[in-house]
Amino acid sequence: MLKSIKRIIVFSLLFLQSFIIVGCDNQSLEKCIINGKQDYWLLYDEVEPGYLGGPYFKFNDDGVCRRYQKDLNNEFTQINSQGDVVFYDTAWSVSKDSILTWGEHSLDIVDYNENTITLYLNRQDRFLFLFRVNENSARKPLQYYIDKRKEYPEKYPEPYSKL
């Protein structure tokens, strides 16, 4: 009888410990995604690359994600439309089994750390990457590099530098 009580206690403690560990991992993942005041997530899509000119996002703690762009002065502004395309604030959440629900998309969180999140979109085995960018970062926007190549073509010899 005493052995069975000990087994129950040990089992209960192990179950409680594993529950706490899983809960903490999920919480840290969600906290990792939420942006600080000066942080943005830069989206990179391996199928439609646009790293230097890609869209930026802020995942707020109220479960709303907003879209931003970075201008030539390295300033971020929220964008609600681009031509005929309208961008709405998007709801987001993270489930306990590491699925990021972002608007109408459900993405597996493959890996993450403080500065990078790898997402799997089950469409053509497609991966998306989020890179944390601070608004004080010195990284220039895409147009800077395009203009630089046009202004100084001699610095970019052929065959690898055609625009």
Side-chain angles (χ1 to χ4, degrees):
M1 172 116 160
L2 189 56
K3 274 188 164 180
S4 64
I5 291 174
K6 282 184 181 181
R7 284 183 187 162
I8 292 172
I9 291 172
V10 169
F11 179 79
S12 298
L13 288 174
L14 288 173
F15 177 75
L16 181 62
Q17 183 180 5
S18 64
F19 181 74
I20 289 170
I21 290 170
V22 171
C24 289
D25 284 347
N26 185 49
Q27 185 179 20
S28 65
L29 173 57
E30 189 168 310
K31 283 185 179 182
C32 180
I33 293 173
I34 295 172
N35 292 94
K37 287 186 177 186
Q38 297 180 329
D39 291 333
Y40 299 83
W41 286 108
L42 172 60
L43 178 68
Y44 175 83
D45 182 341
E46 72 170 351
V47 175
E48 299 171 16
Y51 175 73
L52 293 172
Y56 295 86
F57 296 92
K58 266 193 177 279
F59 291 87
N60 300 315
D61 58 2
D62 62 358
V64 175
C65 179
R66 292 183 176 87
R67 186 180 184 113
Y68 292 82
Q69 68 183 9
K70 191 175 187 180
D71 63 21
L72 290 173
N73 297 321
N74 286 336
E75 294 179 10
F76 289 91
T77 53
Q78 184 178 351
I79 55 173
N80 297 317
S81 64
Q82 208 169 32
D84 293 342
V85 180
V86 177
F87 303 113
Y88 297 101
D89 292 350
T90 309
W92 73 274
S93 64
V94 177
S95 67
K96 291 184 180 179
D97 53 351
S98 300
I99 296 173
L100 172 64
T101 302
W102 186 7
E104 61 190 41
H105 302 286
S106 294
L107 305 138
D108 286 300
I109 300 172
V110 176
D111 194 13
Y112 73 96
N113 62 39
E114 185 179 321
N115 296 312
T116 306
I117 300 173
T118 304
L119 304 167
Y120 177 69
L121 177 61
N122 190 17
R123 207 174 342 140
Q124 303 166 349
D125 292 325
R126 186 174 180 173
F127 286 91
L128 303 175
F129 303 90
L130 294 172
F131 300 103
R132 189 180 301 273
V133 176
N134 187 284
E135 70 181 25
N136 296 323
S137 168
R139 190 177 85 50
K140 308 229 182 322
L142 173 64
Q143 194 60 46
Y144 168 83
Y145 297 100
I146 292 171
D147 292 345
K148 181 180 167 188
R149 283 177 174 263
K150 287 179 182 176
E151 191 171 342
Y152 304 104
E154 70 278 2
K155 293 183 179 184
Y156 303 95
E158 297 295 329
Y160 302 108
S161 61
K162 284 190 175 182
L163 291 176

